[in-house]
Each structure stands twice: as structure tokens, then as C-alpha cells.
């Protein structure tokens, strides 16, 4: 399963060179990840209300081609890896002409909000676990 989220590049997201400032791609990756979770039928905000957070533990990006103000970026997000504890999402951000602007991954674990102690998604969030397992199978 690949989720798609389109973003209109806003002027405030560009730098002096007229291209999207590099850190904004990380925000867009988060939007893509949130869309992926929504497409699976879940909601990050609801998980957080239940006292579970999902911090980024690693992020990798490779910038390929710039995006500019007024263009529309297409964020493609998928499950790259899942083992019941750690989740790695994969991303491609696509330019209007279909070129790749960015490739990347972000790695996450789930933790208890009160102490940041890692939890097992498999045990603590069985519905999420089942959805991730199904998404993993659809990738293979």
C-alpha cells in the first residue's frame, strides 16, 4: 500500500533561492506518514490521547531535485519495515513533472507518554499490529 498526499508549495516554505527550504521536506514526510496511518484506518492523535507516542528515532533523506513556490508536491508513503516494535516508513516526494525531489525513510518506536519506555506494538496495539502486518504483506 502506498499513500498519496498532495501539498501546494507555499511561498513561506521557500528560501532565498526560491526553492523549498530543506527542513520543510521533513514536515511533508510527517504529513505523508499521518496520511498513511489515516489510510490504514487509524489516527495518531487518538493514540496520543491513550498515552502512547511515536517519536522519530532516525531519519534519512536524499535530496534529488528542488520544488518551487506554486508547484504541487506529491508525497508517497509506504511501510518500509516493521517488526512489532520498530516501524520504518519510506517516502518519495514527486515534482509536478514526475521527477523525484526526495527519497527518505523515518524510523519510529512507540513509547509510553509518562516515561518514554518503549512498548510492543504487537502487544499494546494489536489492531495497529494487524494493519502493519497486512501493509507489509502488500509490499512483498
Amino acid at each position: 500500500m502506498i499513500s498519496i498526499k498532495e501539498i501546494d508549495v507555499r511561498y513561506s516554505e521557500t528560501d532565498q533561492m526560491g526553492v523549498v527550504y530543506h527542513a520543510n521536506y521533513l514536515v511533508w514526510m510527517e504529513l505523508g506518514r499521518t496520511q498513511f496511518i489515516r489510510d490504514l484506518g487509524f489516527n495518531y492523535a487518538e493514540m496520543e490521547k491513550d498515552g502512547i507516542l511515536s517519536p522519530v528515532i532516525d531519519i534519512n533523506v536524499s535530496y534529488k531535485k528542488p520544488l518551487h513556490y506554486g508547484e504541487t508536491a506529491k508525497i508517497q508513503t509506504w511501510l518500509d519495515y516493521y517488526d512489532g516494535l520498530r516501524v520504518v516508513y519510506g517516502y518519495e516526494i514527486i515534482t509536478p513533472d514526475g521527477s523525484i525531489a526526495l527519497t527518505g525513510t523515518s524510523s519510529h518506536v512507540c513509547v509510553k507518554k509518562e516515561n518514554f519506555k518503549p512498548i510492543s506494538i504487537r502487544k499494546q496495539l494489536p489492531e495497529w499490529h494487524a494493519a502493519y502486518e497486512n501493509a507489509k504483506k502488500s509490499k512483498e
Side-chain angles (χ1 to χ4, degrees):
M1 175 181 116
I2 296 177
S3 289
I4 306 289
K5 175 78 174 172
E6 291 193 345
I7 302 292
D8 293 327
V9 178
R10 297 169 292 190
Y11 183 79
S12 63
E13 293 170 318
T14 62
D15 61 18
Q16 233 177 351
M17 296 179 288
V19 300
V20 173
Y21 178 68
H22 70 278
N24 287 317
Y25 290 96
L26 301 179
V27 173
W28 294 355
M29 289 166 68
E30 180 182 346
L31 293 173
R33 184 170 62 253
T34 300
Q35 184 64 52
F36 180 85
I37 297 298
R38 190 175 297 127
D39 290 349
L40 286 178
F42 301 103
N43 184 308
Y44 260 135
E46 291 300 316
M47 182 178 69
E48 289 183 354
K49 284 180 188 174
D50 292 336
I52 298 173
L53 305 175
S54 183
V56 174
I57 59 170
D58 188 47
I59 199 154
N60 292 290
V61 296
S62 180
Y63 300 99
K64 306 290 186 184
K65 186 175 180 182
L67 279 152
H68 302 87
Y69 170 64
E71 293 180 331
T72 300
K74 182 168 41 171
I75 305 159
Q76 299 180 341
T77 308
W78 61 90
L79 184 66
D80 198 56
Y81 175 83
Y82 173 69
D83 65 5
L85 183 65
R86 188 169 53 108
V87 182
V88 179
Y89 300 97
Y91 308 90
E92 283 185 347
I93 299 180
I94 309 297
T95 67
D97 71 2
S99 299
I100 296 174
L102 174 141
T103 60
T105 60
S106 65
S107 300
H108 305 255
V109 294
C110 286
V111 300
K112 292 182 180 180
K113 186 176 184 177
E114 68 270 6
N115 60 14
F116 263 66
K117 181 178 178 182
I119 64 161
S120 166
I121 297 168
R122 181 182 294 118
K123 293 177 184 174
Q124 299 291 319
L125 299 166
E127 299 87 10
W128 287 65
H129 172 71
Y132 281 135
E133 285 293 327
N134 285 335
K136 189 166 74 171
K137 287 176 190 166
S138 72
K139 179 186 163 219
E140 297 170 350

